[in-house]
Amino acid sequence: MADEIEKSEEEWRAQLTDEQFRVTREKGTERAFTGTYTDNKEPGLYRCVCCSAELFRSDEKFDSGSGWPSFFDSPHAKNLRTETDVSFGMRRTEVMCDKCGAHLGHVFEDGPKPTGLRYCINSASLDFDKK
Ligand code: FE
């Protein structure tokens, strides 16, 4: 599906830090345990750093031990797009912002109940609104 929000590379570069650009627009991955929100336990809402779409909540965040913010579900699934990613010799499911196409991370099927899902998301893709 086409992105609702389209900007040029120059516009994204002007808006984002280098790390945010590398992760969201170039499908990069921040180094484990280095992101701002990995251990964030404050109640609130996680938005897309590129377009502010609502993506995840503290209510579904859990400590996966992976080194990245992890969520077992999202009430904003309509803002999430998934695609099969076969890069690096692995078969994974990539998670993107459906509004602007930002790369967020991947979703795995080894999460906790009740969903069994683990959305493994880069802090660099997120903004946080403390409740
Ligand atoms: Fe977005």
Side-chain angles (χ1 to χ4, degrees):
M1 207 179 77
D3 298 334
E4 254 174 59
I5 297 164
E6 282 194 66
K7 292 189 183 183
S8 67
E9 179 180 330
E10 288 67 32
E11 288 174 300
W12 287 127
R13 279 195 190 279
Q15 176 188 333
L16 302 168
T17 68
D18 289 350
E19 175 75 347
Q20 289 167 343
F21 181 88
R22 187 181 71 81
V23 170
T24 59
R25 310 322 305 184
E26 300 184 318
K27 300 187 189 298
T29 301
E30 69 196 16
R31 284 199 301 125
F33 300 102
T34 65
T36 312
Y37 302 124
T38 304
D39 295 322
N40 184 27
K41 292 180 171 62
E42 303 274 10
L45 174 71
Y46 292 87
R47 296 178 179 273
C48 177
V49 75
C50 294
C51 77
S52 296
E54 301 180 342
L55 300 176
F56 296 99
R57 296 191 305 187
S58 53
D59 305 67
E60 288 82 30
K61 193 173 189 287
F62 71 102
D63 188 2
S64 67
S66 68
W68 292 280
S70 301
F71 305 87
F72 61 81
D73 202 359
S74 168
H76 305 294
K78 68 173 194 317
N79 290 341
L80 301 174
R81 187 192 314 172
T82 56
E83 267 180 30
T84 300
D85 170 13
V86 293
S87 65
F88 300 105
M90 293 177 275
R91 187 179 186 86
R92 296 178 294 174
T93 302
E94 180 187 358
V95 184
M96 283 167 289
C97 172
D98 191 52
K99 300 283 183 206
C100 76
H103 172 76
L104 304 175
H106 293 85
V107 58
F108 302 94
E109 295 184 349
D110 58 6
K113 289 176 180 174
T115 60
L117 296 177
R118 172 171 63 94
Y119 288 89
C120 184
I121 305 298
N122 291 282
S123 294
S125 301
L126 301 172
D127 260 341
F128 182 64
D129 284 354
K130 196 174 164 183
K131 206 186 273 176

